[in-house]
Amino acid sequence: MKNYKTQMEAAKKGIITEELKRVAEKERMEPEKLLTKVASGRVVIPANIGHMALSPEGVGEGLSTKINVNLGVSGDCKNYAVELQKAELAARFGAQAIMDLSNYGKTREFRRKLIAESPAMIGTVPVYDAVGYLEKDLLEITAQDFLKVVEAHAKEGVDFMTIHAGINRRAVESFRRQGRKMNIVSRGGSLLFAWMEMTGNENPFFEYYDEVLDILREYDVTISLGDALRPGCLDDSTDAGQIAELIEIGHLTERAWKKDVQVLVEGPGHMAMNEIAANMALEKRLCHGAPFYVLGPLVTDIAPGYDHITAAIGGAIAACAGADFLCYVTPAEHLRLPDLDDVKEGIVASLIAAHAADVAKGIPNARERDSQMAMARKNMDWDEIFRIAIDGEKAKRYFESTPPADRHTCSMCGKMCAVRTTNLILDGQKVEFCSEK
């Protein structure tokens, strides 16, 4: 029988769990080395005891950068079948996490199906689900009601939950005092801010934080401390509200660790490129090395329809500077609920950002596929090129859309392909363009 409740408690006791062993194999790391990182909180292995289909992943210091895919229904777009297709797409591309952000209707059946079938880590934001789950309007919901939703999600098998516990009265005071251009853009943060203002009460997740941790510990759910005051535009980045909340989150991180609850810390938001590295260092400093989970950051505000690109730019810089977990952004960000094509574009952009950062950080074996691609291109082995590519289907479709006369080249350069020319010369052959041969 297990003599530990959570992955963190096991690591502190020197116990190498099955989940830790599998993560160590994936990361090509000695289990004992990974054990010390989990024990210190610098790495998390989100693995709810009820998520039987899970293929465990590690997030944190020295590990490959992971990506998360958001999905879920809204009041204006409520097709659960399409959302399951998005989950299948995420699995096909190898996304390590899926967050169900459904905020409409009865979401339990969908969430249970997702947990039963998905090998990815499953995350939720309980405050989103509170109104529909409890069938109460926001003002009618009590502090204990919010905790009931947390417990329900934990029992169902959710691996990590975004809990906006850092937006307490002190953080709100800093936000109000400085003022902002975009105010609060976090959906969960805005709901809690509204509840606090309407009721006059403290944030229930902050006031009853120990009770929240007790629930999460029971099922080994990783707490993802949400950034309710993240910047929603460049002008609001690294302001008093954002930093005040991050200071609170640093304290909440230590409190969670004392109860052996694993912690992720969520980060910005919209931010100019020159501020990203400093923000990564600040989070690691204030939150004691806890893994950092970032949305973007989006490095400009003027690209609706292309925000998967602005986020990938920011995500690559962030991950290179210390972020551990990238939340994907799709072309539909700020515009609509993403469709399947949007989801694919968002996943691929995030995978590129994560991989580029891992290469730059020197993550073991990160460059293997790049080296394989270089050899495949040198040999003009198109089938191998398509196999190695992040999106081989798209690469093949592009190649075949304008077929070359000679399959050993592509239609851009034809026989004047630099690789072909150099290969022929090094093989002692002549380069001929005008002869029919």
Side-chain angles (χ1 to χ4, degrees):
M1 187 174 178
K2 292 197 308 184
N3 61 340
Y4 61 87
K5 282 282 189 183
T6 71
Q7 294 292 325
M8 184 175 222
E9 183 185 2
K12 287 178 179 178
K13 291 180 175 179
I15 300 169
I16 296 175
T17 66
E18 280 302 311
E19 292 81 7
L20 188 144
K21 190 183 299 182
R22 288 169 67 185
V23 170
E25 289 171 0
K26 289 180 181 181
E27 301 288 342
R28 303 187 190 184
M29 180 180 286
E30 290 297 320
E32 292 75 17
K33 183 177 179 181
L34 183 58
L35 189 80
T36 62
K37 292 177 181 290
V38 175
S40 68
R42 289 171 291 147
V43 165
V44 299
I45 302 175
N48 188 309
I49 58 174
H51 189 178
M52 300 306 180
L54 178 70
S55 178
E57 298 284 354
V59 180
E61 182 184 273
L63 308 188
S64 59
T65 307
K66 307 304 186 297
I67 74 161
N68 171 70
V69 171
N70 289 339
L71 48 79
V73 301
S74 70
D76 294 311
C77 199
K78 37 190 181 287
N79 189 328
Y80 284 112
V82 171
E83 299 311 300
L84 286 173
Q85 287 180 287
K86 293 176 185 178
E88 291 165 6
L89 187 65
R92 180 155 60 86
F93 275 92
Q96 294 88 5
I98 293 171
M99 288 199 80
D100 174 20
L101 305 186
S102 296
N103 63 359
Y104 177 85
K106 297 297 183 182
T107 60
R108 276 171 281 187
E109 184 179 341
F110 172 71
R111 191 164 49 250
R112 286 170 179 165
K113 187 172 179 62
L114 200 59
I115 292 165
E117 297 179 2
S118 178
M121 303 178 280
I122 302 299
T124 59
V125 188
V127 72
Y128 290 1
D129 196 31
V131 173
Y133 189 95
L134 298 166
E135 296 184 316
K136 292 182 178 181
D137 214 339
L138 188 62
L139 188 56
E140 299 171 351
I141 297 174
T142 67
Q144 290 305 311
D145 283 336
F146 282 118
L147 269 59
K148 286 177 188 174
V149 180
V150 170
E151 186 166 21
H153 284 210
K155 284 181 177 178
E156 287 166 6
V158 169
D159 301 297
F160 65 103
M161 290 185 208
T162 294
I163 305 289
H164 300 88
I167 181 171
N168 57 18
R169 286 178 173 173
R170 283 189 295 269
V172 167
E173 182 183 348
S174 294
F175 156 69
R176 281 185 173 281
R177 186 167 55 240
Q178 178 167 352
R180 272 186 168 183
K181 187 163 285 185
M182 281 288 293
N183 292 321
I184 296 175
V185 298
S186 159
R187 189 195 308 169
S190 69
L191 291 171
L192 285 168
F193 174 70
W195 186 88
M196 292 164 67
E197 293 295 302
M198 290 191 298
T199 64
N201 296 327
E202 178 60 278
N203 178 350
F205 294 123
F206 178 78
E207 186 173 1
Y208 299 99
Y209 189 61
D210 284 327
E211 291 182 38
V212 172
L213 294 177
D214 289 341
I215 294 168
L216 301 183
R217 173 183 163 82
E218 185 66 27
Y219 300 92
D220 197 2
V221 178
T222 298
I223 188 168
S224 190
L225 287 164
D227 52 338
L229 295 175
R230 69 172 178 265
C233 65
L234 300 188
D235 286 346
D236 292 340
S237 64
T238 322
D239 70 351
Q242 179 194 331
I243 302 306
E245 182 184 34
L246 191 62
I247 291 168
E248 298 295 335
I249 287 173
H251 177 58
L252 295 172
T253 296
E254 290 187 302
R255 286 176 60 185
W257 285 346
K258 286 178 181 176
K259 292 204 170 193
D260 299 326
V261 174
Q262 300 182 100
V263 177
L264 289 164
V265 174
E266 298 187 14
H270 291 235
M271 182 168 288
M273 289 192 293
N274 60 304
E275 294 182 39
I276 294 173
N279 269 262
M280 300 306 107
L282 193 61
E283 183 277 342
K284 292 290 184 176
R285 175 74 171 179
L286 293 177
C287 300
H288 320 291
F292 204 15
Y293 174 26
V294 297
L295 178 66
L298 279 71
V299 296
T300 181
D301 298 332
I302 61 170
Y306 297 91
D307 277 329
H308 60 309
I309 297 173
T310 63
I313 293 168
I317 296 169
C320 190
D324 308 286
F325 195 13
L326 304 181
C327 186
Y328 92 149
V329 172
T330 77
E333 186 79 7
H334 305 112
L335 300 172
R336 69 173 190 198
L337 195 75
D339 63 18
L340 284 167
D341 288 337
D342 297 326
V343 168
K344 180 181 174 181
E345 291 295 316
I347 291 171
V348 172
S350 289
L351 287 171
I352 293 168
H355 179 72
D358 287 348
V359 169
K361 289 190 290 188
I363 296 296
N365 309 298
R367 295 177 69 136
E368 277 186 3
R369 284 174 69 189
D370 297 88
S371 297
Q372 291 168 6
M373 181 63 86
M375 288 304 299
R377 282 177 167 157
K378 176 188 174 185
N379 297 328
M380 296 186 188
D381 186 343
W382 293 101
D383 290 334
E384 182 69 355
I385 288 169
F386 304 146
R387 185 191 69 80
I388 296 166
I390 288 176
D391 186 358
E393 290 179 5
K394 182 175 183 178
K396 185 176 183 179
R397 188 170 69 250
Y398 271 49
F399 176 76
E400 293 179 346
S401 65
T402 309
D406 179 356
R407 184 177 168 81
H408 294 296
T409 64
C410 78
S411 58
M412 175 174 278
C413 298
K415 286 187 177 181
M416 285 193 180
C417 171
V419 176
R420 176 182 180 273
T421 297
T422 308
N423 285 348
L424 286 171
I425 292 298
L426 292 176
D427 286 343
Q429 300 181 50
K430 290 181 180 180
V431 176
E432 297 176 325
F433 299 122
C434 297
S435 70
E436 201 167 314
K437 181 180 177 182

